Amino acid sequence: MLKRLRADFRLSIITILGATSLLGITPFAIMRFLQDDLVAGAIDTTLVLTIFGGMAYAWITGDTRRSGMVLAVIACSGAVVVAMVVGEVGLFWLYPCLVTTFFLVSPRVATLLNLTSIGVIVLQGDVFQDDIQKWTFTATAMVVSATAYAFALRTNSQRERLEQLATIDPLTGVKNRRSMDEELDLAAAHAERTGIPYALVMLDIDHFKKVNDEYGHGVGDEVLIDLVRLIQQSTRKSDELFRYGGEEFVLLLPGVDGAGLVAVMNNLQHILRKKMTHPGGPITVSVGVALLKHGESVGSWLERADGALYEAKEAGRDRVVFSDTMPAANPELAS
């Protein structure tokens, strides 16, 4: 639970909102029912139940975007209604909502919600004792919103930067192993639901250590970058490339199998053989390929692709080995 809260910022905000509404609004709902203020008590109870329900939905489904939007609208509209029902005392409920919206939805949507909420209350003249109180409220509410807006923009920027650092390989610009684990889990689940075939391709640069030792790590880095560029130019936008570690990469190919997969690998190997070079001459790549089997775990899938790659290395490198029986488009490719 704590791990999930640390990993999902919006879920943590939704959870805080749900917990604070339960602890903070419930006593007022009880008090108003005891005072026979049934309308205000009903509003408070509805707010608590709705916010708590939104929090439960976010936890169960993981859909924090929709639940965040719903909760932001409910929080702002609820605060406005409370202010209109109970008078100036209810104005205080709007301030936390003005801040919270920026962490539940995008800054643009939050700004629209805040301005709408402030505008509705200002137009409802009965809430204020006089014009001085009205414009004081307007000014303070606008300051709170502007400050929250600036803070949210800064926080979003930093969070996106951290997410990029955690999921992207800084040298090649492709996704790293952490991202790969998540994407393979999603691919396996999608394949199980839809029956769409998925192929896993493991690529390893042959004699890469020798390149680093003889020509330096700068040349080795250029070889890695060149490999990534060639693979991305030779594959579809729907295909995903990951740096598995060192000189080893993983390519995820959805929607291909059989002769189509053999043709794809044949074309990719032809391009790499033709264009991969370094100061000492051509660079070759060994490849292992495995098709996801029905009900197979991601771990087993990776092991079979890795086993095929090992066979390619043992058989002399510079070749593609399939873990599964494939129709051979080229005798040199099939195993």
Side-chain angles (χ1 to χ4, degrees), residues 9 20 23 43 69 71 90 111 158 164 221 264 276 278 282 292 294 301 313 332:
F9 178 75
T20 53
L23 297 174
I43 293 172
M69 174 66 76
L71 289 177
T111 300
Q158 291 178 334
Q164 183 180 36
D221 289 347
V264 168
M276 284 286 292
H278 78 300
L292 179 65
H294 178 68
W301 190 19
K313 291 284 190 181
E332 190 174 343

Side-chain angles (χ1 to χ4, degrees), residues 139-322:
T140 54
M142 294 295 289
V143 168
V144 169
S145 295
T147 305
Y149 176 80
F151 183 74
L153 283 181
R154 180 65 174 172
T155 302
N156 288 341
S157 175
Q158 291 178 334
R159 187 167 67 251
E160 289 172 1
R161 176 60 177 162
L162 289 173
E163 289 175 354
Q164 183 180 36
L165 291 173
T167 59
I168 301 297
D169 175 54
L171 175 64
T172 61
V174 298
K175 294 180 179 179
N176 59 19
R177 185 168 180 172
R178 176 180 176 181
S179 294
M180 183 197 76
D181 292 337
E182 296 175 356
E183 294 296 335
L184 293 188
D185 286 336
L186 291 173
H190 187 253
E192 198 69 21
R193 289 195 312 270
T194 64
I196 293 176
Y198 278 85
L200 191 64
V201 181
M202 298 193 77
L203 307 97
D204 187 270
I205 300 174
D206 297 326
H207 305 296
F208 185 71
K209 185 177 184 301
K210 185 177 179 181
V211 174
N212 279 331
D213 290 344
E214 294 187 2
Y215 300 97
H217 289 278
V219 172
D221 289 347
E222 289 299 321
V223 169
L224 294 173
I225 294 170
D226 197 33
L227 174 63
V228 167
R229 178 181 59 82
L230 290 172
I231 293 175
Q232 290 178 329
Q233 289 177 352
S234 309
T235 52
R236 305 165 300 176
K237 289 184 177 180
S238 59
D239 302 330
E240 295 192 78
L241 181 64
F242 310 92
R243 188 176 182 185
Y244 192 60
E247 70 274 22
E248 198 168 2
F249 292 83
V250 168
L251 181 63
L252 179 63
L253 303 174
V256 290
D257 60 0
L261 178 58
V262 174
V264 168
M265 299 314 304
N266 191 1
N267 178 65
L268 180 60
Q269 188 183 47
H270 173 73
I271 291 172
L272 296 181
R273 278 176 173 169
K274 181 179 179 181
K275 297 185 177 181
M276 284 286 292
T277 61
H278 78 300
I283 291 286
T284 61
V285 177
S286 297
V287 182
V289 185
L291 275 171
L292 179 65
K293 297 179 179 178
H294 178 68
E296 184 178 24
S297 68
V298 170
S300 171
W301 190 19
L302 274 168
E303 284 181 9
R304 289 194 300 109
D306 190 50
L309 175 61
Y310 179 78
E311 289 183 33
K313 291 284 190 181
E314 289 294 299
R317 297 181 170 85
D318 186 24
R319 65 192 63 217
V320 177
V321 171
F322 292 89

